[in-house]
Amino acid sequence: MIRDPDTLAQLLDAVNRFVREKLVPAEHLVAETDEIPEDLVRGMKELGLFGLTVPEAYGGLGLTMEEEVMVMLAMGQTSPCFRSLFGTTVGIGSQGILMDGTPAQKDKYLPRLATGELVASFALTEPEAGSDAASLRTTAVREGDHYVVNGTKRFITNAPQAGIFTLMARTDPEDKGAGGVSAFIVEANTPGITIGRKDRKMGQRGAHTADVIFEDCRVPAAQLIGGKEGQGFKTAMKVLEKGRIHIAAICVGAAERMLRDALHYAVERKQFGQPIAEFQLVQAMLADSQAEVYAARCMVIDAARRRDEGQNVATEASCCKLFASEMCGRVADRAVQIFGGAGYIADYGIERFYRDVRLFRLYEGTSQIQQIVIARNMVREAAR
Ligand code: COS
């Protein structure tokens, strides 16, 4: 749902300009230094990117899903690491508070998340619990008006920058499954939290992940999201469901960028006396990519609209994430192929995208998890 086309057009104009004039020129530097310069972070804050999904009453832009998708399509036109910095805050890091938090929790955190003063991270994955998220082992044991948290979270995006973590931990040791899991807002400066060293990743330099280790970390009971135990897994699933549409939009944006770069290269580059874009085997790669990008774009916008209408989009969200991330991988591969030898050389930038977008098929649920979610929902529906 687009509430006011003019306001959205202004926002998209500003984001497109920021991407084109500030972020794209900084891509090489960020990849080399593994840091996003402070003035770019400031620019993101000024544009309101940290508050995209926070309701206006709390100082954010309160975008609908369709509007959020439009912004992500624009953000996808540059290195994914930039989106990563504010994306966990507007997405999986804060949505638990927004969806299931108490009014007091919303009042306390949402205004500072909206300005970017606080970065929020999502702490679900563990060394032994990835796709099987319900098997997590981190414990939160109630002691008076606190919970004592012990455990290790792994590959946590933005952990080094985080001001708060949306933490999923087991409050009921008797229940080994989803029902024993609760969600907490944990402030990063709480004693008993150690952030591991930054992971050395395949790509997305500038975006940082690390372990988060909890050792007898005393978290006030008031930080239990929604004030109810046993709801944490459902909160995580709802958050991830929305996050999958958001990530799918980024996949489409990134694929559009790679395809545009490949097309320009194909038009410029001459072999056998003519631009390689004139060769039908190259055209096949361009055409297949264009068709797939278009399909994914339509899917993402459709799923976002349905979600805004209040429909259950669990299946559609997974379809979007599955198709758009796999499509993005295929487009990345073809783009490198069209660049030929230059596709393997860092100066041309396309090999960086090839590595960066590989993550899309893994995080916020692997492609295989999306297949499972889709098929399970189909079978359940058929059984009704
Ligand atoms: N919205 C609301 N509730 C949901 C939900 C959703 N999208 N998906 C599941 N639930 C609820 C179920 O209804 C169920 O509740 P009841 O027990 O009341 O019926 C509960 O959550 C448990 O669901 P389920 O039985 O499907 O859990 P499973 O352990 O079988 O796990 C998968 C299901 C595999 C789909 C889940 O573990 C998953 O998504 N894994 C991937 C995790 C992931 O994305 N990791 C990335 C880390 S963050 S970068």
Side-chain angles (χ1 to χ4, degrees):
M1 181 203 316
I2 291 173
R3 295 163 303 166
D4 173 13
D6 292 341
T7 311
L8 180 65
Q10 275 173 19
L11 174 65
L12 291 176
D13 258 5
V15 173
N16 281 325
R17 205 173 330 115
F18 183 63
V19 166
R20 206 173 47 239
E21 293 174 7
K22 302 283 185 201
L23 300 185
V24 171
E27 287 174 358
H28 274 303
L29 176 76
V30 171
E32 257 165 46
T33 59
D34 198 19
E35 292 297 335
I36 300 177
E38 211 26 65
D39 62 312
L40 295 183
V41 179
R42 219 173 21 251
M44 291 182 199
K45 290 181 184 173
E46 283 165 10
L47 271 175
L49 294 179
F50 283 84
L52 291 177
T53 54
V54 174
E56 285 162 311
Y58 297 99
L61 299 181
L63 299 192
T64 63
M65 191 78 235
E66 187 178 355
E67 292 165 344
E68 180 183 340
V69 155
M70 301 314 283
V71 175
M72 290 310 131
L73 291 170
M75 276 307 303
Q77 310 291 325
T78 184
S79 288
C81 71
F82 295 119
R83 192 281 329 175
S84 191
L85 184 63
F86 67 85
T88 57
T89 299
V90 299
I92 55 177
S94 71
Q95 286 297 317
I97 305 175
L98 248 158
M99 289 176 180
D100 290 335
T102 63
Q105 289 167 346
K106 291 181 188 176
D107 288 344
K108 185 168 177 191
Y109 292 107
L110 294 181
R112 287 156 69 207
L113 290 168
T115 58
E117 177 195 335
L118 264 188
V119 167
S121 266
F122 185 71
L124 171 66
T125 301
E126 297 184 356
E128 304 294 333
S131 291
D132 185 5
S135 71
L136 61 83
R137 292 182 187 173
T138 295
T139 53
V141 178
R142 181 88 190 224
E143 269 185 22
D145 54 4
H146 282 78
Y147 285 87
V148 180
V149 179
N150 280 288
T152 298
K153 294 293 175 177
R154 181 138 294 170
F155 310 141
I156 303 306
T157 302
N158 285 338
Q161 287 87 6
I164 55 169
F165 294 100
T166 297
L167 169 76
M168 264 55 67
R170 190 167 302 285
T171 42
D172 182 355
E174 301 300 314
D175 185 339
K176 305 279 182 225
V181 175
S182 300
F184 296 88
I185 309 160
V186 182
E187 300 195 358
N189 58 8
T190 313
I193 297 181
T194 314
I195 310 295
R197 71 168 177 79
K198 277 188 254 171
D199 297 319
R200 294 173 61 227
K201 309 191 289 359
M202 177 192 284
Q204 298 216 8
R205 281 168 64 79
H208 305 138
T209 67
D211 279 5
V212 184
I213 302 134
F214 297 85
E215 288 168 300
D216 291 330
C217 173
R218 293 177 67 77
V219 176
Q223 301 298 94
L224 175 66
I225 291 183
K228 260 199 269 165
E229 288 188 8
Q231 298 300 308
F233 188 78
K234 282 187 192 166
T235 298
M237 289 299 114
K238 286 192 285 184
V239 164
L240 284 168
E241 186 182 302
K242 179 171 191 290
R244 286 164 185 165
I245 303 178
H246 171 114
I247 294 293
I250 283 287
C251 293
V252 174
E256 286 173 346
R257 160 71 187 273
M258 292 185 288
L259 183 53
R260 200 166 54 242
D261 287 358
L263 175 62
H264 285 158
Y265 187 82
V267 169
E268 296 288 318
R269 170 77 174 163
K270 290 200 174 75
Q271 286 294 280
F272 303 101
Q274 62 182 42
I276 61 170
E278 301 295 331
F279 290 108
Q280 290 187 341
L281 292 178
V282 171
Q283 289 181 349
M285 289 192 275
L286 292 170
D288 284 351
S289 299
Q290 180 68 15
E292 291 188 53
V293 166
Y294 177 50
R297 183 178 250 270
C298 293
M299 285 173 79
V300 171
I301 293 172
D302 177 69
R305 283 184 184 151
R306 286 172 190 265
R307 189 177 187 282
D308 285 337
E309 284 167 7
Q311 293 185 33
N312 177 347
V313 291
T315 302
E316 287 78 3
S318 283
C319 287
C320 286
K321 167 74 164 54
L322 172 64
F323 185 77
S325 64
E326 293 287 333
M327 172 282 291
C328 191
R330 287 192 293 273
V331 170
D333 192 64
R334 292 183 197 122
V336 169
Q337 197 66 20
I338 291 169
F339 271 78
Y344 205 68
I345 304 295
D347 294 350
Y348 292 85
I350 200 73
E351 65 82 35
R352 188 188 65 238
F353 264 97
Y354 178 84
R355 288 181 288 107
D356 286 351
V357 304
R358 188 62 183 83
L359 183 57
F360 295 144
R361 290 154 64 194
L362 304 171
Y363 70 176
E364 301 201 21
T366 60
S367 293
Q368 290 67 34
I369 286 294
Q370 310 309 331
Q371 288 173 314
I372 286 169
V373 171
I374 297 163
R376 268 195 192 179
N377 290 346
M378 290 168 68
V379 172
R380 231 175 260 152
E381 195 57 39
R384 270 210 205 116

